[in-house]
Amino acid sequence: MATGQKLMRAIRVFQFGGPEVLTLHSDIAVPIPKDHQVLIKVHACGVNPVETYIRSGTYRRKPALPYTPGSDVAGVIEAVGDNVSTFKKGDRVFTTSTISGGYAEYALAADHTVYALPAKLDFKQGAAIGIPYFTAYRALLHSARVKAGESVLVHGASGGVGLAACQIARAYGLKVLGTAGTEEGQNLVLQNGAHEVFNHRELNYIDKIKKSVGEKGIDVIIEMLANVNLSNDLNLLSYGGRVMVVGSRGPIEIDPRDTIPKECSIIGVALYSSTKEEFKQFAAAIQAGMEVGWLRPVIGSQYSLEKVAQAHKDIIHNSGTSGKMILLLE
């Protein structure tokens, strides 16, 4: 280690496994930004389900070990590398990706993955934008190609991506239905753009949705838990309807015949497949949402860096999610 180099606290993963492999170290060298990179002093970092899959080693993309998880940070620019003209030291920013990992006091990011954070949003909200809003936008506008006047069901609407999808869908003129498993979650969904909400723990909630939408069915379903809901989803769709699979935690048996009468589609959504140009487009829409005011991240559970293993347990095992889970580093 270089003498005199600044040190920071950061979570490191040395082997894939359960939440216990997330270890806190206080002797990690603060990275130095290179060409087209910025160093951010992290105030908050979003926790996303995908980070638990990566940590467990079951995800398709595996980082080289050891690594620090976390892509969605919000904070202040500490230093900029060469050829960075968009940002300067002291700017408030949020990210959609990091190079060095976000579960840390400082994070390195490529300048094209960093965005200005408006004064009206705090750092917690800034850390709740990245994966949730960019994924929801990609699912709805880019992949499902929704049109104003269509209907959308957000299946699992009270978490980070779900609430983002409700806000975006409402802003773009869709009829928005959502599901949640608690009264608090249902109220949150209604407050964030849904016209109607259903309790997915009720045995007959699918019948209630069918009754609400009538013969036509639902044009688009944003699906957070496809391994539980996909078969039901296919029976809820309209002609030409599409299920956007944002999340799934295992296999499910479906009858492919259910896609035939309505010529419906099942489409996977992977934010990391977005090109630089697509990210630019999504960012422009999301930035407009912040300015106009429809983009309002809702913060759920908050954890310190020391409690990150608990956060990883809770995001998978705690049902009845309300809002976006974040790590606080202030």
Side-chain angles (χ1 to χ4, degrees), residues 216-250:
K216 183 181 183 299
I218 295 162
D219 298 308
V220 174
I221 297 176
I222 304 294
E223 184 51 71
M224 311 300 167
L225 200 60
N227 55 297
V228 172
N229 300 320
L230 188 57
S231 186
N232 281 330
D233 289 345
L234 294 176
N235 290 303
L236 285 170
L237 289 175
S238 64
Y239 181 81
R242 44 267 190 230
V243 180
M244 313 307 297
V245 179
V246 172
S248 185
R249 294 179 184 173

Side-chain angles (χ1 to χ4, degrees), residues 32-39 79-85 87 108:
I32 295 162
K34 299 189 177 88
D35 202 38
H36 289 291
Q37 293 178 355
V38 299
L39 181 70
V80 299
D82 293 338
N83 297 309
V84 175
S85 55
F87 301 104
L108 201 60

Side-chain angles (χ1 to χ4, degrees), residues 103-145:
Y103 295 9
E105 290 177 322
Y106 293 89
L108 201 60
D111 59 358
H112 70 272
T113 65
V114 179
Y115 309 88
L117 181 65
K120 64 169 85 166
L121 296 180
D122 63 26
F123 290 121
K124 295 180 205 175
Q125 291 173 304
I129 297 169
I131 284 180
Y133 281 86
F134 282 72
T135 298
Y137 189 91
R138 182 175 179 84
L140 285 162
L141 279 300
H142 174 272
S143 301
R145 296 183 173 88

Side-chain angles (χ1 to χ4, degrees), residues 57-89:
T58 58
Y59 200 60
R60 285 213 172 113
R61 294 183 305 145
K62 289 187 180 67
L65 295 168
Y67 78 99
T68 295
S71 60
D72 299 355
V73 306
V76 175
I77 298 280
E78 177 76 11
V80 299
D82 293 338
N83 297 309
V84 175
S85 55
T86 328
F87 301 104
K88 63 186 187 305
K89 184 175 163 69

Side-chain angles (χ1 to χ4, degrees), residues 15 29 32 125 132 146 168 212 227 236 238 248 254 264 282 309:
Q15 63 184 70
I32 295 162
Q125 291 173 304
V146 294
I168 293 168
S212 170
N227 55 297
L236 285 170
S238 64
S248 185
I254 63 163
C264 51
F282 304 165

Side-chain angles (χ1 to χ4, degrees), residues 14-27:
F14 287 87
Q15 63 184 70
F16 297 115
E20 70 282 353
V21 303
L22 298 159
T23 53
L24 179 58
H25 295 257
S26 52
D27 59 350

